[in-house]
Amino acid sequence: FIHPNILRVDADLRWMRAGSVMRKVKSRTWKKQRYFRLQDDCATIWYKSEKAGNAHCTFSISDVETVREGHQSEVLLSIADEFPPDRCFTLVFRGRRGNLDLVAESAEEAQSWVRGMRKLIENLESMGEQEKLDQWICDWFKKADKNGDGRMNFKEVQDLLKMMNMDMNEHHAMRLFTLADKSESGTLEDDEFVLFYKLLTERPEVRRLFQQHSSDGHTLSLWDLEVFLREGQLEQENLREHAAELVLCYEPSDTAKTRQAMTIDGFLMYLGSPEGSVFNPSRKQLYQDMRQPLCHYFICSSHNTYLMENQLRGHSSVEGYIRALSRGCRCVEVDCWDGPNGEPIVYHGYTLTSKILFKDVVSVMGQYAFKASQYPVILSMENHCSVEQQRVLAHHLTCILGDKLLQNALEGRSVSGGLPSPEDLKGKILLKGKKIGGLGASVSAVGEDSPVGDVSEEDERLEMEEENHHDDTLRRKAKRLSKELSDCVVYCKSVRFSSFKHARIHSKFYEISSFTEFKAKKHMKEAGADFVHHNSRQLTRIYPSGFRTDSSNFNPQEMWSVGCQIVALNFQTAGVEMDLNDGLFGQNGRCGYVLKPLFMRSAEKQFDPEHPQMLDRSGPLTLTIQVISGQQLPKVNQKEGSIVDPLVRVELHGVPLDQAKLETHHIENNGFNPIWDETLKFTVHVPELALVRFVVEDYDKTSKNDFVGQFTLPFSCIQQGYRHIHLLSKDGTKIPPSSLFVHIRITQRT
């Protein structure tokens, strides 16, 4: 919450609460006036069209990821000649929601909104868990208080319960209402509503757990907490110290703190905190060795990065690069074609997708490449340009990126020394593309009539025809490559793949091959162990088939299982495949690099994902998940009276032998506090490659279940014991306070 005193003295927030008329801009020709105002709760922006009468919309400050000043979006750049940058700003929303581009009436007004929004976002991010929950309760109170009198009668409370995804027995609801109505006025006011919410959200399953471990039935002593950490949370080290830290950190009562004890409120706060989460907090930090060769890491990678929609008619935008890079993506793709006025353009060839300038893409790369991670970014170039415009490509890369572009092999490394590490290449952008000669080779200028083979490696039109076997005699037309562009390629020289045997004998460490998903699957089936061995020495990029015109994705897990590093996905398309990608790269500081298991990095090991039993180890693990309960699941269907019938599915993704899915029964009409109390068991042969995905769905016996929320994490990052799983939306954004409560145990199978 924003303290009332701050509201009185903060000029920016006062200006925002008074409201402003600004232009909402969607294109050069679409500019409409809208009235924007910060609501009294300082958590919501209200806006309406001057012509729309009473119609208005709102969005929450928590939906806004960041604020950009000036002409920092394509839309605002397109009107740069019309409105100066000091009057323009962009609100960037979380997930895949489009930006809001605004032009204020004055520079002073724009600055007030920019500063004010940043303060509000910062305030939200610094809130404690309890404050966030209080804010959430407050939001619901306002939604349900239809007449805005700051009180709620029983009818409004009943409507609220339906809005909150709960179909409660009327008698039970009235009992809780009466208990909370301390003033006996027949309505609930602020504090009374908070009490009602606490009665409503009473967690019997947590209370039972608390009582089981409490010596006196009221609090957990340090000794009680130590026993709980050992038996309930399956922790082993520094238990006494950890128990004392938990009391200090999460116990709200000063009296209990003084007695070094924890109340039920402190216990709930601990279980709901990041420390009580299923994702081990220590694995969220940068914890891996970053000094191994590049080919020893999985690298977060995007395909058709410039597209915001599908690849037939979609909108091309530099925003695609900003979003991918901001999410920790470390390999982006750019399709370059000859453009008018000698300026190369970027778009999906042979389709109706819109076009953007290559130099704008490079400018954005320079700005955003290292905001989310300092580790190297690979720019995977599909070059369809003439030699003249290739020189322009090289000019833009070298002039705009400057020192950020890696143009020479690193000093102190011999030409045969192997790939450098992410640590060695911090702050560098590497171009992946065709190159004349080898690393460090001195090449004289190439004449325009000197063919050097294929300039583009991934001509998808040809790939589609090859995959469809329409004409096996098709051959790529030899194009010429400019010396200037060739010189920009250092450690990622694109080469056509012939065979694993050929690569073993002839491949250089700085060479990289690309495969469509179908070709990769073919190699996996025919020679899985050879593929793993190849990827211990060389970089490999896998990209979606040209048939995926809807920009859907293939399952990346299969490619990671043979050690492919650059598994490129359509970031603009939500779904299980992007959930897996976000899950894998959610660890290691979200830096975009995850170290492969040792048996995939060593040339001596022989690992075949089809036969993982051949690994020298003491047998598989058993993963036991007790799905206990759910908390405040979001509504799927916004129709009045519609309530979720939730079920939980747990999916194990890994080598073929580990693939498995199990689910609970569904609970009728309760998305608010469902209790399943079901146990699901999995066998895990290769835990190092396994991902676990928790999915909540709304059961429907007549049609496909609706998606409610999910959370995906690497098996190696799981915390055992009683844990909360904080659910994410289809877009991968948080949906607080929605969660699952589970107990997890990992044991050696005997």
Side-chain angles (χ1 to χ4, degrees), residues 269-450:
M269 284 181 76
Y270 154 59
L271 288 175
S273 73
E275 202 168 346
S277 158
V278 69
F279 202 123
N280 187 337
S282 68
R283 294 297 173 100
K284 290 218 163 185
Q285 315 305 318
L286 191 70
Y287 72 95
Q288 294 184 331
D289 175 9
M290 301 306 289
R291 297 188 176 277
Q292 303 269 333
L294 273 188
C295 57
H296 285 183
Y297 297 84
F298 296 122
I299 303 171
C300 188
S301 307
S302 158
H303 177 62
N304 288 347
T305 314
Y306 46 88
L307 287 182
M308 300 297 283
E309 299 161 57
N310 71 56
Q311 56 197 57
L312 282 185
R313 296 171 177 273
H315 173 56
S316 301
S317 168
V318 295
E319 194 64 41
Y321 292 91
I322 296 172
R323 291 188 179 193
L325 292 166
S326 300
R327 287 174 72 171
C329 183
R330 298 290 86 190
C331 179
V332 296
E333 184 186 32
V334 57
D335 276 10
C336 306
W337 301 80
D338 281 355
N341 309 315
E343 280 294 343
I345 53 174
V346 173
Y347 80 110
H348 199 276
Y350 317 114
T351 67
L352 299 173
T353 59
S354 62
K355 301 168 176 66
I356 51 178
L357 290 174
F358 175 75
K359 65 179 177 186
D360 288 345
V361 172
V362 180
S363 293
V364 157
M365 292 285 294
Q367 272 180 284
Y368 289 90
F370 304 109
K371 286 198 171 180
S373 167
Q374 282 300 301
Y375 291 108
V377 172
I378 298 168
L379 182 57
S380 178
M381 180 182 279
E382 279 307 297
N383 171 17
H384 303 274
C385 292
S386 61
V387 171
E388 294 79 15
Q389 291 209 11
Q390 285 178 43
R391 290 184 183 124
V392 180
L393 295 176
H395 172 78
H396 288 326
L397 286 166
T398 51
C399 292
I400 297 171
L401 296 179
D403 289 345
K404 289 190 180 106
L405 181 70
L406 186 79
Q407 290 185 264
N408 298 296
L410 297 185
E411 281 183 36
R413 277 187 166 271
S414 67
V415 170
S416 59
L419 283 167
S421 71
E423 194 65 35
D424 295 330
L425 294 165
K426 261 186 171 176
K428 293 295 182 186
I429 295 172
L430 282 62
L431 183 67
K432 171 193 162 293
K434 291 288 180 178
K435 183 174 178 66
I436 307 159
L439 189 65
S442 174
V443 183
S444 58
V446 180
E448 292 196 15
D449 56 349
S450 310

Side-chain angles (χ1 to χ4, degrees), residues 28-46:
R28 217 179 146 74
T29 53
W30 197 104
K31 299 182 281 282
K32 302 280 174 75
Q33 286 200 319
R34 296 281 185 269
Y35 177 63
F36 290 85
R37 178 163 53 86
L38 175 65
Q39 300 277 66
D40 292 343
D41 62 2
C42 284
T44 316
I45 303 290
W46 181 97

Side-chain angles (χ1 to χ4, degrees), residues 709-724:
Q710 68 83 31
F711 188 78
T712 307
L713 78 163
F715 183 93
S716 59
C717 296
I718 288 174
Q719 285 204 104
Q720 296 187 77
Y722 289 97
R723 304 293 172 187
H724 277 97

Side-chain angles (χ1 to χ4, degrees), residues 620-640:
L621 300 175
T622 298
L623 170 65
T624 306
I625 300 172
Q626 182 191 2
V627 181
I628 303 168
S629 61
Q631 293 74 46
Q632 288 104 66
L633 304 175
K635 281 187 80 153
V636 178
N637 191 333
Q638 291 305 321
K639 282 184 200 155
E640 208 172 329

Side-chain angles (χ1 to χ4, degrees), residues 301-303 311 460 467 515-521 524 540-546 548 550-562 564-571 573-581 653:
S301 307
S302 158
H303 177 62
Q311 56 197 57
E460 290 206 57
E467 284 164 11
F515 303 92
T516 62
E517 57 181 289
F518 294 142
K519 287 196 175 155
K521 281 184 182 177
M524 280 159 51
T540 297
R541 181 175 185 266
I542 313 294
Y543 60 99
S545 152
R548 293 184 181 272
D550 59 351
S551 289
S552 59
N553 283 311
F554 57 86
N555 181 356
Q557 184 68 48
E558 294 179 294
M559 312 306 170
W560 294 327
S561 290
V562 285
C564 298
Q565 302 88 349
I566 302 175
V567 180
L569 297 180
N570 290 298
F571 269 49
T573 308
V576 60
E577 299 84 9
M578 273 308 296
D579 293 346
L580 295 175
N581 195 77
H653 296 264

